[in-house]
Amino acid sequence: IQLTQSPSFLSASVGDRVTITCRASQGISSYVAWYQQKPGEAPKLLIFSTSTLQRGVPSRFSGSGSGTEFPLTISSLQPEDFATYYCQELDSYPPTFGGGTKVEIK
Amino acid sequence: EVQLVESGGGLVQPGTSLRLSCAASGFTFDDHAMHWVRQVPGKGLEWVSGISWNSGITGYADSVKGRFTISRDNAKNFMYVQMDSLRPEDTALYYCARDKGSVFNWYFDLWGRGTLVTVS
């Protein structure tokens, strides 16, 4: 399964509502996870089981979707949210990651 | 403090070997499967290998199968990967990552800062 994230680059302002979409090359019957990676840092798990927030992750992050389309939404972008976001599918062995979406400050 | 710390990376020539280590602390190590995930700087993430809590299950990406060997020592809270017959395409930052489950749950909920392997 190949994952395509769109957009690959996003320029937004603090307070904006942002949606990143992870599209699968075929339907996913299992789940999707989302990771956030800031420059020079390791990835951080944000969401697992498609829509469950990892402990400590702010509620402005939400995940949803099914089949081939899985959106990650940030309801009100904060300065600390500027980072690269990766989706991961769990249908394949091994699971694969999307190519990433870089969110930058407008 | 709950953390993972990788070590052992470096610059090596093609065809040679390297052993990476991952030291875990601050949590019950043998409650979790563990993985190696790599990232070419500026590029995406690629799962490399994983090992279940008791070493009963191991897995490898096709790109490293037969060349890499993963292991763990629960008494010492360490995970390792022995990388043999290294190729230039193995050049990447190698992360140690904790699985949320004891077998392959595939959610990586704790990561180290990575160790850089350069094969040239």
Side-chain angles (χ1 to χ4, degrees), chain B residues 39-98:
Chain B
Q39 183 174 38
V40 173
K43 301 295 184 182
L45 299 164
E46 179 190 17
W47 176 82
V48 173
S49 182
I51 186 166
S52 64
W53 71 278
N54 64 350
S55 304
I57 300 172
T58 59
Y60 300 92
D62 286 345
S63 57
V64 307
K65 199 173 296 181
R67 300 187 298 121
F68 288 15
T69 304
I70 193 171
S71 61
R72 64 188 293 164
D73 184 336
N74 287 345
K76 296 181 179 177
N77 290 352
F78 267 82
M79 176 179 67
Y80 309 96
V81 62
Q82 176 68 37
M83 305 188 297
D84 298 323
S85 303
L86 282 162
R87 304 168 180 170
E89 55 264 36
D90 295 318
T91 294
L93 186 63
Y94 283 74
Y95 292 107
C96 166
R98 185 181 76 177

Side-chain angles (χ1 to χ4, degrees), chain A residues 15-88:
Chain A
D16 284 353
R17 180 181 181 88
V18 166
T19 297
I20 298 166
T21 301
C22 181
R23 290 185 174 86
S25 58
Q26 63 189 70
I28 294 176
S29 57
S30 184
Y31 299 111
V32 163
W34 287 93
Y35 298 85
Q36 176 194 64
Q37 186 176 32
K38 296 180 181 179
E41 297 185 7
K44 171 187 170 184
L45 178 64
L46 293 178
I47 288 172
F48 62 96
S49 299
T50 302
S51 59
T52 304
L53 245 56
Q54 174 69 354
R55 188 181 309 126
V57 173
S59 59
R60 62 181 179 272
F61 290 92
S62 64
S64 62
S66 64
T68 60
E69 201 159 298
F70 296 85
L72 169 72
T73 299
I74 309 171
S75 60
S76 177
L77 201 63
Q78 297 302 300
E80 59 269 29
D81 300 337
F82 292 95
T84 299
Y85 294 83
Y86 294 95
C87 59
Q88 175 203 11

